[in-house]
Amino acid sequence: MARIVIDQVRKSYGALHVLKDFSLDIADGEFVVLVGPSGCGKSTMLKILAGLEEASGGTIRIGGRDVTDLAPGDRDIAMVFQNYALYPHLTVAANMGFGLKMRGTPADVITRRVQEAARILDVEHLLERRPRQLSGGQRQRVALGRAIVREPAAFLMDEPLSNLDAKLRVHMRAEIGALHQRLGVTTIYVTHDQIEAMTMANRIVIMKDGEIQQIADPETMFERPANLFVAGFIGSPGMNFLSARAQGGTTRLFGEAVPVPPGADGDVTIGLRPEHIEAGPGAVTFMARPSLVESLGSEKYIYFEAPDDNRPPGFLKQSEEDQRGSRLIARLVNAGPVRIGENVTLSFDPARLHVFDPATGKAIR
Amino acid sequence: MAGGRFSLDLARPSRQHWLGYILLAPAVLLIAAIIVYPLIVSVDLSFQNVGIARLDQPRRPFTTANYERLFTSPDFWNACWVTLKLIVVVTSACFILGLGTALLVNNRFKGRSVARLLVAMPWAVPEVIAVVIFAWIFDSSFGLMNWVFLSLGLIDKTINWFSDPDAAFAVVATTMIWKGYPFVSIMSLAGLQSIPEDYYAAARVDGASALQRLRYITLPCLMPVIGVTTVLVMLWIFRDFSIIYVLTGGGPLKATQTLSIMTYEQAFSFFRMGYASAIGVVTLVICVIAAKLTMRRAPDNL
Ligand SMILES: Nc1ncnc2c1ncn2[C@@H]1O[C@H](COP(=O)(O)OP(=O)(O)OP(=O)(O)O)[C@@H](O)[C@H]1O
Ligand SMILES: [Mg+2]
């Protein structure tokens, strides 16, 4: 178990800067999730931590020891790979004991530790099988087992759940969480799935283009996003964005005067989460004409056009699936019947608004 | 449908396998004509006392004399011994060279594609040309090898490579190794490239040294490829004729006379086709057994 300090780590492939001054201080026993869109450098950071890639600059300390130029095997870390990297020619038991064997651990100790890990992960009955005779979830468990028998100072996991189907992923998510609770080993977990990040992390690190956007616990990430990118990345469905002009602490949204923080002046981008829009009148009330209604049973997603004055800025297309253009989404719980084309009364609390500077993307508070 | 009622609808589920048979048929017929039929004929010949085989002649009486003679002939056992020596020496050398070069050119470095081409080159050279090159290299008066050895001071007078039994065997083995290792190299390289990078990353995180990664990951993962390749190389040595025939003709003193050279000599120099067929049949049986043994071992490791 160890504290991990990453200090100003940089990485470039020729002219391509994949990581820019990455600094992160991870407490002993913490579960940190690196999250960000594809190609933002998450795996690269993890490989540098593991010693599989060389950093172009910066230092890494694990448990007070400078490991920046240490071989992967000497760093006392274990890694779980996206496609498990189980050796097909070895049995499950041999796979799990491989790291210990390479370190010259006596055979009886290896057997005991493998048994113990197998019991924790509930794979005891699979020990004599080959990896190809296992299901996806079982392989995942064995890959975790291979990491925990080593009893390392830290676990590094690179999208370990992305090869599983949705249901199994939710299950394994909980299982990894429980494992972390039980073992208390410092864990760095990479994913591009914000739900995984929100549910598992003690702290989330959001990255984009090799730069850290925000480091915070899941709650703060959701409630106080530092910039437009974070605001759009966290939450599902994503935050609604509107453009407006602020003056003297007020702006106009849906034709109503709405208070904004005093720092906001001139053009601003306003963020409003779908779940913060409610059915019926409230602090700020407006009428909307739904162009699409999706009912998920307990809740409804209502799509409606933003008013002309508040057309959302075009550049805000955060994620691929989020191609809603100028449409806004309201997520209503226990709303009455809502029909396409029939006006509904909606409202929101102005305290829930997020205000951003459209030029820099930074939050204005 | 355009073809009307005469068309054969192969897309029907019940006829799915028809297309396979239809496509396979010409090849099967061809193989039957050029391999199976001669094979049957030669098995038949091996049980007759035939000089020059002619299909228009009546069958000679059945006899096992060819086999009796074969198993008591010192020449046959000598040929078996030479073939075995050649197989052991050439196969192992081909594997050491082939695997070694494959591991080398699998690394990332400048000029890798050129290096790969050079490694594979001997494979593209026709056998007879390779033999001519080596015949020159080992020529007793103007050969490169004698010159190199003399210049290095390893010998004080030229070696006559083709009149000394051991030297002749060494020359034949060298030529075969040179001709044969690129095949092992190409096959191994293909095998190496199919090993996921993650296995090595995982092993490095687990603290495995380069040698341990070779021993515990690379070699086991290559096992299926190595098995098939061993069989193919072995069979190639069994049946290879041109290299030995052009270099030494089987001599001196039958030191390089393998089973295939012996078969040829009996059939076309001494015109004992029945006897030659018996050698051929025995060689075939040995080949089948050797291939079976090798193939059975290999996939078990994975
Ligand atoms: N060997 C390499 N040479 C050049 N560029 C590379 C190399 N490896 C990675 N990159 C680049 O570095 C960037 C970050 O890659 P990385 O694998 O860390 O992304 P990621 O955040 O893990 O994405 P994903 O979610 O798709 O796994 C990418 O733009 C990629 O193209
Ligand atoms: Mg990645």
Side-chain angles (χ1 to χ4, degrees):
Chain A
M1 265 160 270
R3 176 178 165 203
I4 299 174
V5 182
I6 304 168
D7 190 28
Q8 309 238 317
V9 165
R10 282 175 286 117
K11 175 76 187 175
S12 353
Y13 290 107
L16 180 70
H17 300 291
V18 177
L19 283 177
K20 298 158 198 160
D21 284 338
F22 192 105
S23 298
L24 181 63
D25 189 338
I26 301 165
D28 185 9
E30 202 175 6
F31 196 115
V32 169
V33 175
L34 304 186
V35 64
S38 191
C40 70
K42 310 177 294 284
S43 299
T44 306
M45 187 60 237
L46 213 62
K47 281 186 200 147
I48 291 173
L49 261 178
L52 296 169
E53 290 270 0
E54 189 193 1
S56 312
T59 55
I60 295 167
R61 306 177 72 79
I62 298 178
R65 199 160 54 116
D66 186 341
V67 299
T68 316
D69 201 23
L70 232 51
D74 300 333
R75 295 189 176 202
D76 199 16
I77 41 123
M79 190 156 171
V80 179
F81 292 83
Q82 179 172 351
N83 28 27
Y84 321 130
L86 297 175
Y87 310 126
H89 53 280
L90 297 180
T91 61
V92 165
N95 262 292
M96 286 170 69
F98 189 79
L100 294 176
K101 187 172 166 190
M102 292 302 108
R103 287 175 162 72
T105 314
D108 55 321
V109 179
I110 297 181
T111 315
R112 190 163 42 77
R113 300 243 297 250
V114 167
Q115 286 288 346
E116 205 175 288
R119 195 171 39 75
I120 293 175
L121 292 161
D122 199 21
V123 290
E124 278 168 300
H125 56 296
L126 306 174
L127 284 177
E128 291 316 311
R129 291 207 201 161
R130 299 286 157 106
R132 63 154 185 263
Q133 299 166 311
L134 303 180
S135 72
Q138 290 169 334
R139 281 180 210 180
Q140 182 57 60
R141 287 210 187 90
V142 174
L144 284 172
R146 186 168 67 180
I148 69 176
V149 288
R150 293 250 322 274
E151 299 179 1
F155 291 138
L156 309 180
M157 307 193 186
D158 192 354
E159 310 209 19
L161 304 185
S162 58
N163 280 356
L164 302 179
D165 64 64
K167 202 170 166 194
L168 200 54
R169 198 177 313 166
V170 173
H171 179 75
M172 286 307 295
R173 200 162 77 195
E175 213 157 284
I176 291 178
L179 194 67
H180 176 252
Q181 289 278 322
R182 174 175 181 157
L183 302 175
V185 177
T186 315
T187 305
I188 301 176
Y189 185 104
V190 163
T191 178
H192 59 250
D193 178 357
Q194 53 107 3
I195 298 180
E196 251 170 54
M198 293 295 279
T199 49
M200 300 173 83
N202 294 136
R203 264 196 310 162
I204 300 177
V205 178
I206 295 196
M207 298 170 64
K208 181 194 169 199
D209 298 337
E211 270 174 313
I212 295 181
Q213 302 292 309
Q214 190 173 3
I215 305 176
D217 58 286
E219 214 101 307
T220 312
M221 219 35 120
F222 188 76
E223 274 160 17
R224 297 175 64 83
N227 58 34
L228 277 171
F229 178 79
V230 175
F233 192 83
I234 296 288
S236 173
M239 191 184 274
N240 297 306
F241 292 108
L242 299 156
S243 58
R245 276 194 75 78
Q247 207 166 30
T250 56
T251 186
R252 291 192 80 79
L253 286 178
F254 302 100
E256 306 280 325
V258 176
V260 289
D265 199 48
D267 284 333
V268 290
T269 299
I270 307 278
L272 177 59
R273 292 204 181 273
E275 44 275 73
H276 292 155
I277 301 178
E278 277 157 40
V284 177
T285 309
F286 61 97
M287 299 296 280
R289 185 193 293 270
S291 58
L292 178 66
V293 178
E294 287 175 346
S295 180
L296 307 183
S298 60
E299 57 193 31
K300 286 192 176 68
Y301 292 169
I302 296 179
Y303 295 72
F304 57 96
E305 282 297 318
D308 287 343
D309 292 346
N310 300 123
R311 283 236 178 264
F315 62 89
L316 288 172
K317 278 189 187 147
Q318 306 291 2
S319 55
E320 306 85 76
E321 72 262 40
D322 194 15
Q323 290 174 340
R324 47 178 127 143
S326 62
R327 281 204 293 192
L328 306 181
I329 303 181
R331 181 178 169 191
L332 306 180
V333 185
N334 298 327
V338 180
R339 275 185 205 89
I340 294 173
E342 278 181 25
N343 276 349
V344 283
T345 308
L346 299 175
S347 64
F348 62 88
D349 177 356
R352 297 286 205 179
L353 292 181
H354 301 268
V355 184
F356 303 94
D357 180 337
T360 62
K362 290 220 159 58
I364 302 170
R365 299 219 161 85
Chain B
M1 210 170 120
R5 65 198 152 120
F6 296 112
S7 81
L8 195 58
D9 184 6
L10 293 174
R12 278 196 212 173
S14 61
R15 291 182 186 161
Q16 268 171 357
H17 46 277
W18 283 27
L19 183 65
Y21 290 135
I22 292 172
L23 292 177
L24 225 50
V28 169
L29 291 177
L30 203 66
I31 285 175
I34 65 175
I35 295 182
V36 178
Y37 173 67
L39 192 67
I40 293 169
V41 169
S42 68
V43 171
D44 187 33
L45 280 181
S46 73
F47 288 107
Q48 301 170 45
N49 184 9
V50 189
I52 297 174
R54 291 182 55 175
L55 292 175
D56 53 358
Q57 301 263 306
R59 269 192 102 260
R60 304 285 187 88
F62 178 87
T63 168
T64 55
N66 286 326
Y67 288 96
E68 281 158 29
R69 191 173 148 207
L70 185 63
F71 289 119
T72 52
S73 149
D75 279 357
F76 169 71
W77 294 111
N78 173 63
C80 283
W81 172 237
V82 170
T83 311
L84 181 72
K85 268 200 300 186
L86 210 55
I87 284 177
V88 171
V89 171
V90 175
T91 311
S92 38
C94 279
F95 266 92
I96 293 169
L97 272 176
L99 263 177
T101 48
L103 287 169
L104 275 180
V105 299
N106 194 36
N107 285 319
R108 270 197 218 114
F109 58 91
K110 270 216 178 93
R112 173 167 77 164
S113 39
V114 177
R116 283 186 180 176
L117 202 69
L118 286 178
V119 166
M121 190 97 95
W123 199 53
V125 176
E127 277 198 354
V128 175
I129 294 180
V131 173
V132 171
I133 296 171
F134 273 80
W136 172 75
I137 290 177
F138 288 101
D139 188 277
S140 46
S141 18
F142 336 97
L144 179 70
M145 224 23 116
N146 271 331
W147 179 78
V148 169
F149 279 16
L150 275 174
S151 313
L152 289 176
L154 292 174
I155 50 174
D156 41 24
K157 63 177 176 22
T158 58
I159 300 177
N160 195 345
W161 294 97
F162 295 103
S163 56
D164 176 63
D166 288 334
F169 182 83
V171 170
V172 166
T174 309
T175 312
M176 290 188 104
I177 292 165
W178 185 80
K179 192 75 187 75
Y181 88 88
F183 177 66
V184 180
S185 190
I186 291 166
M187 296 290 277
S188 310
L189 192 59
L192 284 175
Q193 284 170 344
S194 71
I195 303 177
E197 199 54 44
D198 274 0
Y199 290 0
Y200 293 107
R204 280 166 68 198
V205 171
D206 273 344
S209 65
L211 217 59
Q212 284 173 319
R213 293 200 292 274
L214 179 69
R215 159 81 182 76
Y216 291 106
I217 298 174
T218 310
L219 290 182
C221 288
L222 279 184
M223 238 26 223
V225 175
I226 289 177
V228 173
T229 313
T230 312
V231 171
L232 292 176
V233 170
M234 261 171 35
L235 294 184
W236 169 68
I237 299 167
F238 258 116
R239 67 177 169 71
D240 188 80
F241 171 76
S242 51
I243 291 180
I244 304 174
Y245 193 74
V246 177
L247 271 179
T248 65
L253 304 172
K254 301 194 191 318
T256 56
Q257 190 176 65
T258 58
L259 286 167
S260 56
I261 296 283
M262 188 181 173
T263 311
Y264 175 84
E265 197 170 60
Q266 292 296 336
F268 301 109
S269 303
F270 305 144
F271 297 107
R272 297 182 196 133
M273 298 240 173
Y275 186 50
S277 297
I279 307 175
V281 170
V282 171
T283 312
L284 177 74
V285 171
I286 298 175
C287 280
V288 169
I289 293 172
K292 262 267 180 279
L293 287 179
T294 320
M295 287 298 255
R296 212 191 45 206
R297 264 196 51 71
D300 270 351
N301 284 317
L302 195 75

